[in-house]
Amino acid sequence: MSTTGIQQSPQKPVGGKDTFDTNQLVHSLVCVVVGLAIFLIPPPQGLTPQAMHMLGVFVGTILGLILQPLPTSSVAIIGMTVGMLTGALDVKKAAFSGLGSPSIWLIVAAFFIAQGFVSTGLGRRIALVFLSLLGKSSLGISYGLAAADLVLSPATPSNTARLGGILFPIITSVSDVQDSTPKSDESRKRIGAFLALTANNVNAITSAMFITAMAAGPVVSQLAQKSGVNISWGLWALACIVPGLLCLIVIPALIYKLFPPTIKHVPQAQADAKTELREMGSLSGQEWIMMVTFIVMLILWATGSIFHVNATAVAFLGVSVLLCTKIISWNDMASNKSAWSTLIFFGVLVGMAQPLNDLGVTGWAGKLIANMVHGLPWMLVLAILTFFYFFIHYMFASELAQVAAIYTLFVGVAVAAGVPAIAAALMLGVASGLIGAMTHYASGPAALIYGAGYVKTSEFLRIGLICGLITVSIFLTVGMGWWKVIGIW
């Protein structure tokens, strides 16, 4: 049973058309009124009318993604259309630019790779191995996946490749074994939704623990160096090992309490998994092809920064092999609604985010924050700036976009307020990874997890916010204490 290709939000067909109830109408009006209000407000000093127009369109679209008066991709297309018609989005330069983003196509490729794991049965075999080792509890499985993410993270510069290409197929297969699919609330809540939420938030933690664990990490290091702060790979890893491991221990257990799977104890699943593995026998020819392709992709992803091999190119190399060996077909790819829906909604948002930076909206917001923290004790300044840095990510569709837009500004504000330079650069660098799970458009991995359909928008936002606040708080408390011990401040 394939868990890919599921629509993100089930609709109620009536005569072949979507219904539009009172709640949807109210939600639509909220999006329009708020977006229009910002659109019409005279621009404050430092912003142009076009900047306010772009901000109004973006906020209205984000509200639409949260309230969902229409399916996610529909909201994104409408938002892009309004932006083009009003002139807020340049049709030639910005409106469709996000649809060509390599990171977004990496997500799309990950969906197709997941299909290969399902169609060959290799995903099921891997899932059964996990269940045979850790299948006594849903929580145990989540910790096993977290450990795998941690081990892979230092050598996988793309967190989308790590979660989407390596762990996501295992999650879907484990869920499939337990008859947990996005088709109904009862089914998805058995284990699939829990594993998806846990993997998404764990991925944000591992992305924050090493310079090489996400694409934004090297950019953070480079920008910090331009600000006079040198952060080596070893220093970053040493600084994050204690608070990071604590977060990895806390978050799966926290999600287990906040959003428990209906399947908690599965001792029989462990015995059944061992029995089925024996019955499956040795690997089939297609399983061998899928496994070798997967291992080669993993090696290329891990060494991409050394040999300058693009992660998206590697993903599509894998897809091409699967097509040539007929493990998947074009019809399989064309019918994968989750992949194409994710391409639309995430691509549109990335296209909207860049103009916000180019028009000076993000820089203007950063200066407002700088004025607010002037004169406060440096430890409090660092905490305030870090939380503001976290919350402002609601305006961004990727970690890299936020780092490029405001990281240097926030570091400069912090240092000017008396925060030790290394502590400021490291904390905001860590936060650049932790923000990746807070919304369904916060990062490539988040978009992929959301697109799979296991988790509803409200659930995604609630768990993402709580986990994000907890992990940021751990780094600001336990992390700062550890940094004092190792001499960072």
Side-chain angles (χ1 to χ4, degrees), residues 318-342:
V319 172
S320 298
V321 171
L322 299 186
L323 285 170
C324 290
T325 55
K326 297 185 178 180
I327 288 176
I328 61 173
S329 67
W330 170 247
N331 287 336
D332 296 328
M333 295 168 62
S335 62
N336 194 324
K337 295 180 181 178
S338 293
W340 302 118
S341 293
T342 301

Side-chain angles (χ1 to χ4, degrees), residues 198-418:
T198 303
N200 182 54
N201 285 278
V202 162
N203 184 261
I205 297 167
T206 58
S207 296
M209 291 180 67
F210 305 94
I211 285 180
T212 51
M214 64 171 176
V219 178
V220 166
S221 178
Q222 183 179 3
L223 293 176
Q225 188 171 20
K226 289 183 178 179
S227 299
V229 183
N230 292 316
I231 306 175
S232 67
W233 191 97
L235 176 62
W236 188 307
L238 178 63
C240 293
I241 192 66
V242 171
L245 287 176
L246 179 59
C247 288
L248 290 177
I249 293 171
V250 168
I251 290 303
L254 177 63
I255 297 176
Y256 188 79
K257 293 292 184 183
L258 295 173
F259 195 83
T262 55
I263 297 178
K264 295 180 174 62
H265 302 288
V266 285
Q268 186 59 40
Q270 190 174 42
D272 291 343
K274 293 179 180 179
T275 300
E276 189 169 347
L277 279 171
R278 289 194 296 268
E279 293 175 349
M280 290 179 73
S282 58
L283 291 169
S284 68
Q286 283 200 326
E287 283 182 288
W288 273 110
I289 294 172
M290 186 68 231
M291 185 175 68
V292 171
T293 301
F294 174 67
I295 292 172
V296 171
M297 289 171 62
L298 177 59
I299 293 172
L300 290 174
W301 273 328
T303 59
S305 60
I306 299 175
F307 297 107
H308 306 291
V309 181
N310 183 270
T312 304
V314 171
F316 274 94
L317 171 63
V319 172
S320 298
V321 171
L322 299 186
L323 285 170
C324 290
T325 55
K326 297 185 178 180
I327 288 176
I328 61 173
S329 67
W330 170 247
N331 287 336
D332 296 328
M333 295 168 62
S335 62
N336 194 324
K337 295 180 181 178
S338 293
W340 302 118
S341 293
T342 301
L343 170 68
I344 295 298
F345 98 83
F346 198 46
V348 168
L349 286 178
V350 169
M352 285 185 175
Q354 186 58 44
L356 286 175
N357 180 40
D358 295 340
L359 294 169
V361 176
T362 49
W364 170 77
K367 291 177 181 178
L368 289 180
I369 297 171
N371 292 333
M372 293 173 60
V373 301
H374 180 71
L376 297 175
W378 75 261
M379 191 75 78
L380 181 58
V381 169
L382 181 59
I384 292 173
L385 288 176
T386 303
F387 278 114
F388 263 97
Y389 192 85
F390 174 82
F391 283 113
I392 207 171
H393 193 61
Y394 282 104
M395 297 173 61
F396 289 91
S398 76
E399 306 102 322
L400 187 58
Q402 178 162 330
V403 167
I406 61 174
Y407 173 80
T408 302
L409 172 65
F410 271 64
V411 171
V413 171
V415 173

Side-chain angles (χ1 to χ4, degrees), residues 90-284:
D90 187 294
V91 177
K92 295 182 178 180
K93 295 182 179 179
F96 300 99
S97 61
L99 295 173
S101 168
S103 296
I104 296 170
W105 281 98
L106 177 59
I107 300 170
V108 174
F111 277 103
F112 301 148
I113 294 165
Q115 284 182 295
F117 272 89
V118 174
S119 64
T120 60
L122 180 61
R124 186 177 184 86
R125 185 186 294 272
I126 293 174
L128 291 169
V129 171
F130 266 79
L131 288 174
S132 69
L133 297 173
L134 302 165
K136 290 184 178 180
S137 71
S138 300
L139 185 59
I141 295 173
S142 72
Y143 275 115
L145 292 171
D149 197 331
L150 176 63
V151 170
L152 293 168
S153 59
T156 314
S158 170
N159 54 3
T160 305
R162 188 167 68 251
L163 179 55
I166 301 171
L167 299 177
F168 178 68
I170 297 173
I171 291 169
T172 56
S173 298
V174 168
S175 301
D176 185 52
V177 168
Q178 295 300 317
D179 193 27
S180 180
T181 72
K183 290 185 176 180
S184 69
D185 276 354
E186 180 183 1
S187 180
R188 69 183 181 85
K189 288 182 178 180
R190 288 172 65 82
I191 191 172
F194 165 70
L195 292 180
L197 280 170
T198 303
N200 182 54
N201 285 278
V202 162
N203 184 261
I205 297 167
T206 58
S207 296
M209 291 180 67
F210 305 94
I211 285 180
T212 51
M214 64 171 176
V219 178
V220 166
S221 178
Q222 183 179 3
L223 293 176
Q225 188 171 20
K226 289 183 178 179
S227 299
V229 183
N230 292 316
I231 306 175
S232 67
W233 191 97
L235 176 62
W236 188 307
L238 178 63
C240 293
I241 192 66
V242 171
L245 287 176
L246 179 59
C247 288
L248 290 177
I249 293 171
V250 168
I251 290 303
L254 177 63
I255 297 176
Y256 188 79
K257 293 292 184 183
L258 295 173
F259 195 83
T262 55
I263 297 178
K264 295 180 174 62
H265 302 288
V266 285
Q268 186 59 40
Q270 190 174 42
D272 291 343
K274 293 179 180 179
T275 300
E276 189 169 347
L277 279 171
R278 289 194 296 268
E279 293 175 349
M280 290 179 73
S282 58
L283 291 169
S284 68

